[in-house]
Amino acid sequence: MAHATGRRRTGALAVISVAAALLTGCAEKQAGTEGAPAPRTSAPVSGKESPGPSGTPGSGPTAKPGELPDAYDFTPDPARVPKSAPQARTLTRRAVLGPDDWTAGMAVHRPYESSGTWTVLEDSCVWSRAGLPDHVLDSFTRRLDVPAADGRGRVQGAMTVTVHRTVADADREIEDTVQESFRCPDQELGGGQRLSGLMSLQMDRKDVHNADASLFEAGKYEGPGSNGRQHYVWSKSRIGTVTAAVSVKGAKGYENTDLLRIAAEGAAKILYRIELALK
């Protein structure tokens, strides 16, 4: 049994390493193809704005055209950091992606949006919802799917942007998330949905180029219409007091790398929107 557990752990860590490389690669590709530096302005972010990471040329003192800086060096404008629930709601709704923003062919999931609640992993490893804790100003979730087509099943994506009162509160969310996968490698989502074999890993800060902190999680998903156990990937990142989580539940005909690319693309775009909102 110990050997089997070791193999599962090694496999999950390999998937997470690939996810980190894909997220960085997505950022590098955008930085190299967009040309001019992304302006650090306070202009509102529209749903159609072209995404790009903070590491676009000119964002750091050592950055050269087409390259990312050696380290993430963005500092939010204190005047732009949400201090109230209404301000936080403005940011979260600007940051999340719509069906035309994430990746080609995505469609609205039902239910599409949820807000004003906080997910809690009980001691029984079952997820439930509660009211927002005092340290959270707002948390907003939107769900999008890649519809079934050409013999492949329906992929389910979700993104959640959360604004905390302090950086320490946001950092605690990242730390708690890593511990949850070790405490509950198998989790019940409700409605017959289940995650299993979960493994989380927080990335080394020197390897993160578009956020203050990032983690990845990988495992298996099964639920109504899933056609058995499928791959599952999930990421969470922090910029200042704001966290952004992206999950992708797999389907028949999709490899792990397919899901990782979908997750990495979504995460990079959301983080760019968060940064724009905080400049």
Side-chain angles (χ1 to χ4, degrees):
M1 182 62 71
H3 292 297
T5 302
R7 286 196 296 271
R8 287 197 298 271
R9 182 183 179 90
T10 301
L13 291 175
V15 167
I16 292 169
S17 298
V18 171
L22 280 169
L23 182 57
T24 301
C26 181
E28 289 171 342
K29 181 178 180 181
Q30 291 170 343
T33 58
E34 291 195 2
R40 290 185 179 275
T41 69
S42 59
V45 181
S46 69
K48 300 294 184 181
E49 186 156 1
S50 297
S54 66
T56 46
S59 65
T62 62
K64 298 178 181 179
E67 293 183 353
L68 288 168
D70 292 336
Y72 186 68
D73 63 350
F74 172 68
T75 300
D77 180 349
R80 304 280 290 176
V81 176
K83 307 295 194 304
S84 66
Q87 292 173 346
R89 284 193 290 271
T90 297
L91 185 149
T92 58
R93 280 137 184 88
R94 286 178 178 174
V96 294
L97 307 176
D100 297 329
D101 304 325
W102 189 337
T103 193
M106 295 196 90
V108 169
H109 181 93
R110 299 299 180 192
Y112 179 40
E113 297 176 343
S114 60
S115 62
T117 60
W118 186 252
T119 54
V120 178
L121 185 61
E122 307 289 353
D123 292 341
S124 59
C125 297
V126 175
W127 284 97
S128 63
R129 284 194 172 272
L132 294 178
D134 290 341
H135 60 83
V136 173
L137 293 173
D138 187 56
S139 187
F140 181 57
T141 297
R142 184 171 284 170
R143 304 168 187 84
L144 297 169
D145 294 346
V146 178
D150 302 323
R152 300 205 294 181
R154 175 174 60 100
V155 169
Q156 302 175 65
M159 68 209 101
T160 299
V161 177
T162 300
V163 180
H164 294 264
R165 293 186 183 275
T166 69
V167 170
D169 292 329
D171 245 347
R172 192 176 306 112
E173 181 189 348
I174 297 288
E175 295 166 2
D176 290 347
T177 299
V178 175
Q179 295 304 315
E180 284 172 347
S181 70
F182 287 95
R183 176 168 69 87
C184 293
D186 300 331
Q187 301 173 5
E188 298 288 342
L189 303 180
Q193 300 182 91
R194 178 179 175 83
L195 302 177
S196 59
L198 294 175
M199 177 70 80
S200 291
L201 181 67
Q202 186 165 353
M203 294 172 59
D204 192 307
R205 185 163 184 172
K206 67 180 177 59
D207 296 325
V208 182
H209 298 284
N210 60 351
D212 293 313
S214 289
L215 65 87
F216 283 91
E217 184 172 272
K220 295 291 186 179
Y221 162 77
E222 58 184 322
S226 68
N227 196 30
R229 296 174 76 223
Q230 306 294 344
H231 296 296
Y232 169 84
V233 297
W234 188 76
S235 72
K236 180 175 285 188
S237 300
R238 176 184 68 80
I239 295 178
T241 61
V242 184
T243 62
V246 175
S247 68
V248 183
K249 299 170 184 174
K252 177 184 177 182
Y254 283 88
E255 299 296 331
N256 228 327
T257 51
D258 298 323
L259 306 187
L260 291 170
R261 288 190 182 94
I262 294 171
E265 182 179 351
K269 291 178 178 179
I270 294 171
L271 290 173
Y272 179 62
R273 289 184 172 194
I274 291 171
E275 188 175 299
L276 279 182
L278 295 174
K279 285 178 180 177

